[in-house]
Amino acid sequence: MWEWWRKNKPLILGGILLLMALLWYSVNLRQQDETNPMESLVLRVTGPVQAVLERVISGVADTWGHYLSLVNTVEDNRRLIEENRSLLTMLTQSDEVRLENARLRLLLDFKEAQEIDTLPARVIAEDASSWFRTVMIDKGREHGVVEGMPVVVAEGVVGRVVRSSPRFSRVLLITDASSAIASLLQGNRARGVCRGQGEQLVFDFVLRQEEVKVGDRVVTSGMGGVFPKGLVVGNVKDVDRQEFGLFQAIEVAPSVDFSHLEEVLVLLRGPQ
């Protein structure tokens, strides 16, 4: 302590003298109308010091104000980002509900046009390997779903139930290689069989003399006892009338987009 006092003694004494001078000057300032030589000296000595102190204090105040403003700006930005994320989430959920309602409305319109009882179901899993093309739905025997029942959407035929458990069922898609649907061309009524071929279908056993054009619609013929008559299967994509043979080679694009399959209808009828 004594060492510190000895080192800082001149500075402390100078500060005390300066303070006393300022106090004395302040007292005399109220009692005199004119500035005396001592006051003039004090003004010359303390004026620059006060100016420097004023600049320092103002600079510190400005810096602190800028800091507080920056802190508030960062906090406001963080809050706005959080609000923006929340609004985007709500908007996404709203869009999803709107799109789902549109799909369900199409299914409802299709259901009302059918004379067969239907059961709505959701697709909960899919298997699109090179060997099998199936999907799993959330309805089973407890809901009246059994093997052989057709599965459709508003756009057309999806497939048929091949396995059924109490609460779930597996549906074989019409694009599976083991799938076959008795079909006909809606325009000229030419008959054949649509078979799965990966992403597409082939329309077999259509005679060469039948007039087939790209874009012709293919529908179920009602024969075979699985699918009711008149359900849309797809549209002719390519026709090869082949130089030899009895039948044409016809490719059909399915009317259903199987990569975006979410809700389906099960036609509550078994094989006839």
Side-chain angles (χ1 to χ4, degrees), residues 104-116:
L104 293 176
R105 194 176 300 114
L106 286 175
L107 281 180
L108 180 61
D109 293 341
F110 178 81
K111 176 180 179 179
E112 292 177 349
Q114 302 302 310
E115 298 179 356
I116 303 171

Side-chain angles (χ1 to χ4, degrees), residues 176-206:
D176 187 89
S178 61
S179 177
I181 307 174
S183 308
L184 56 82
L185 290 170
Q186 193 174 50
N188 63 10
R189 319 307 288 178
R191 296 181 183 276
V193 175
C194 272
R195 300 182 183 278
Q197 197 178 57
E199 299 293 332
Q200 304 294 321
L201 304 169
V202 292
F203 194 16
D204 291 336
F205 310 121
V206 178

Side-chain angles (χ1 to χ4, degrees), residues 33-225:
D33 295 331
E34 297 181 356
T35 304
N36 56 41
M38 179 60 69
E39 293 172 349
S40 178
L41 177 63
V42 170
L43 287 175
R44 285 198 301 271
V45 172
T46 61
V49 175
Q50 290 179 339
V52 171
L53 289 176
E54 177 66 22
R55 286 196 296 271
V56 170
I57 293 172
S58 298
V60 171
D62 290 342
T63 303
W64 181 252
H66 287 311
Y67 171 75
L68 291 179
S69 176
L70 180 61
V71 170
N72 292 334
T73 300
V74 171
E75 181 64 23
D76 289 342
N77 287 340
R78 186 194 63 78
R79 180 175 53 79
L80 289 175
I81 290 173
E82 291 298 327
E83 291 179 357
N84 188 48
R85 287 175 178 172
S86 298
L87 291 174
L88 286 176
T89 300
M90 293 174 60
L91 182 61
T92 301
Q93 292 173 346
S94 176
D95 287 342
E96 186 64 21
V97 170
R98 177 178 56 81
L99 293 173
E100 182 179 16
N101 287 339
R103 294 193 303 270
L104 293 176
R105 194 176 300 114
L106 286 175
L107 281 180
L108 180 61
D109 293 341
F110 178 81
K111 176 180 179 179
E112 292 177 349
Q114 302 302 310
E115 298 179 356
I116 303 171
D117 291 336
T118 60
L119 177 69
R122 288 185 179 275
V123 175
I124 59 174
E126 65 176 332
D127 177 11
S129 65
S130 58
W131 297 102
F132 300 103
R133 292 186 178 272
T134 63
V135 295
M136 184 81 74
I137 60 175
D138 63 351
K139 296 294 187 295
R141 287 196 299 270
E142 290 182 356
H143 309 92
V145 178
V146 297
E147 288 83 356
M149 286 184 170
V151 179
V152 300
V153 291
E155 292 79 9
V157 179
V158 172
R160 59 186 174 87
V161 177
V162 291
R163 295 288 184 274
S164 181
S165 68
R167 298 182 60 185
F168 304 99
S169 298
R170 185 167 294 279
V171 178
L172 183 72
L173 303 181
I174 61 173
T175 53
D176 187 89
S178 61
S179 177
I181 307 174
S183 308
L184 56 82
L185 290 170
Q186 193 174 50
N188 63 10
R189 319 307 288 178
R191 296 181 183 276
V193 175
C194 272
R195 300 182 183 278
Q197 197 178 57
E199 299 293 332
Q200 304 294 321
L201 304 169
V202 292
F203 194 16
D204 291 336
F205 310 121
V206 178
L207 297 174
R208 289 183 66 248
Q209 60 266 30
E210 297 287 357
E211 182 66 27
V212 183
K213 302 185 299 296
V214 172
D216 285 350
R217 176 170 291 180
V218 180
V219 299
T220 55
S221 66
M223 303 179 68

Side-chain angles (χ1 to χ4, degrees), residues 198-263:
E199 299 293 332
Q200 304 294 321
L201 304 169
V202 292
F203 194 16
D204 291 336
F205 310 121
V206 178
L207 297 174
R208 289 183 66 248
Q209 60 266 30
E210 297 287 357
E211 182 66 27
V212 183
K213 302 185 299 296
V214 172
D216 285 350
R217 176 170 291 180
V218 180
V219 299
T220 55
S221 66
M223 303 179 68
V226 177
F227 295 96
K229 186 176 182 178
L231 299 176
V232 179
V233 177
N235 296 89
V236 174
K237 181 180 179 181
D238 185 65
V239 181
D240 184 1
R241 198 169 259 106
Q242 300 188 45
E243 187 174 353
F244 303 100
L246 294 176
F247 307 111
Q248 305 180 51
I250 303 173
E251 290 186 12
V252 175
S255 59
V256 176
D257 183 359
F258 295 103
S259 63
H260 295 86
L261 203 58
E262 296 185 56
E263 298 90 14

